[in-house]
Amino acid sequence: MITNHATYELEPFYFGDAGEALYGCFHPQTATKRKVAVVLCPPLGDEAIRIHRAYKQLALRLSRAGFPALRFDYFGWGDSVGEDKEATISRWEEDIALAVEEVKKRSGVTQVVLIGLRLGTALALRVANRRQDVAGVVLWEPITNGEAYLREMDDAHQSRLSYFLTDPIHASGLAEGMTEVLGFLLSATMRSEIQQLNMFDFIQSSGYSYVLIIEKTTTEAVIHLRDYLQSCSFQVTYECLDDPAIWGEDPDKALIPGQTLKAITTWFNEKF
């Protein structure tokens, strides 16, 4: 039997149009309500599975600090309606926008902070730069270049196939135009959209001021991103934290990047 306390800290539900409903988990605040709510934008496919526990723990920590939070699955992925072959970047950006409206409605606040991990960082930033109700963004292990990201994912896929003694060249059973990446299907449209992603192309002055960037190992591309955002008058906080790379770890380990979750929660408390 689920206790009232558990129900209060986690409310699973579907939202959006019935035929295209998205699955979400809402974490109401359990402390004095702050002025912003939170939407957590997941990464792609296999990585979304691996970061699930960390995202849940982060949402719980933020809600307990007074920041109502919403986790959700994109259309065509996870427990949301649709098939992976129907997924596109543009559709997922619409899903984030829908999640923003949903968390505002459920929490009663008018401003939202978007948190993204890996590919979710690019989507969060694109959505934030088109809205006036976003107060800040968290870019956790940001993907600055979609083409480089796809090469990384394809290499990981080939490596995994070799590990399981599977022919990495054979791709039987895939529909025309579909490719597989770590057990998930990407349409030609989705792959093309990811390939064209470049964070520097869609950064612009918008209604929000605060940006938190977190990465495990300092990289030239992310330092360049930090400097560019600062040159655009954003108030940027940068953290390099040697936590587990949960997006690439064995999901059975269910690792929690404690330093990172603490840093994000502290940043929220300081800025909002």
Side-chain angles (χ1 to χ4, degrees), residues 1-271:
M1 180 177 179
I2 299 176
T3 65
N4 290 336
H5 179 66
T7 302
Y8 186 64
E9 289 201 316
L10 173 59
E11 299 176 7
F13 66 103
Y14 281 90
F15 64 102
D17 295 337
E20 300 180 340
L22 304 180
Y23 176 75
C25 289
F26 179 59
H27 299 259
Q29 75 280 355
T30 58
T32 301
K33 185 166 63 175
R34 308 297 187 98
K35 62 182 180 181
V36 300
V38 184
V39 171
L40 291 90
C41 308
L44 178 73
D46 183 66
E47 294 182 343
I49 295 174
R50 295 170 188 271
I51 63 92
H52 180 269
R53 185 182 180 212
Y55 254 28
K56 180 179 179 180
Q57 289 298 315
L58 178 56
L60 284 170
R61 292 189 188 200
L62 290 172
S63 65
R64 290 169 184 171
F67 302 98
L70 174 62
R71 297 181 291 119
F72 73 101
D73 291 335
Y74 300 119
F75 177 78
W77 293 69
D79 290 314
S80 290
V81 172
E83 299 182 18
D84 43 14
K85 65 182 180 181
E86 301 174 287
T88 63
I89 291 297
S90 54
R91 173 58 196 256
W92 284 4
E93 290 173 8
E94 294 176 5
D95 294 344
I96 294 174
L98 188 62
V100 168
E101 295 300 330
E102 186 67 26
V103 79
K104 285 165 55 180
K105 179 177 69 176
R106 287 177 174 266
S107 65
V109 303
T110 59
Q111 293 287 297
V112 174
V113 175
L114 302 179
I115 298 176
L117 173 60
R118 298 278 284 167
L119 186 65
T121 61
L123 305 186
L125 199 60
R126 283 167 65 98
V127 172
N129 284 321
R130 294 199 294 264
R131 301 183 67 95
Q132 295 300 311
D133 54 3
V134 175
V137 293
V138 177
L139 307 177
W140 180 359
E141 208 68 27
I143 298 299
T144 61
N145 183 278
E147 186 172 7
Y149 169 74
L150 276 179
R151 286 198 301 268
E152 177 188 346
M153 297 295 283
D154 287 338
D155 288 346
H157 179 74
Q158 296 302 320
S159 176
R160 191 78 58 83
L161 288 177
S162 299
Y163 177 80
F164 287 108
L165 303 178
T166 303
D167 181 359
I169 300 176
H170 190 53
S172 62
L174 294 183
E176 184 177 356
M178 303 295 292
T179 55
E180 183 183 354
V181 177
L182 297 173
F184 291 83
L185 297 181
L186 293 182
S187 67
T189 299
M190 183 66 150
R191 179 173 283 272
S192 176
E193 286 185 320
I194 295 175
Q195 192 171 25
Q196 294 175 44
L197 287 175
N198 186 323
M199 270 199 182
F200 298 95
D201 290 342
F202 47 80
I203 293 174
Q204 61 186 28
S205 297
S206 187
Y208 67 99
S209 300
Y210 300 109
V211 179
L212 172 61
I213 300 175
I214 298 178
E215 60 177 339
K216 176 179 173 62
T217 303
T218 301
T219 61
E220 183 178 346
V222 174
I223 293 301
H224 180 39
L225 173 66
R226 179 200 66 185
D227 294 344
Y228 185 76
L229 285 164
Q230 289 175 335
S231 73
C232 296
S233 300
F234 291 96
Q235 298 184 44
V236 183
T237 302
Y238 172 84
E239 299 272 5
C240 182
L241 302 171
D242 189 20
D243 264 348
I246 54 171
W247 54 90
E249 296 278 359
D250 183 347
D252 291 336
K253 293 180 180 179
L255 299 174
I256 295 296
Q259 295 183 87
T260 300
L261 302 193
K262 181 179 179 180
I264 294 173
T265 305
T266 298
W267 181 80
F268 268 88
N269 285 326
E270 291 175 350
K271 302 301 183 185

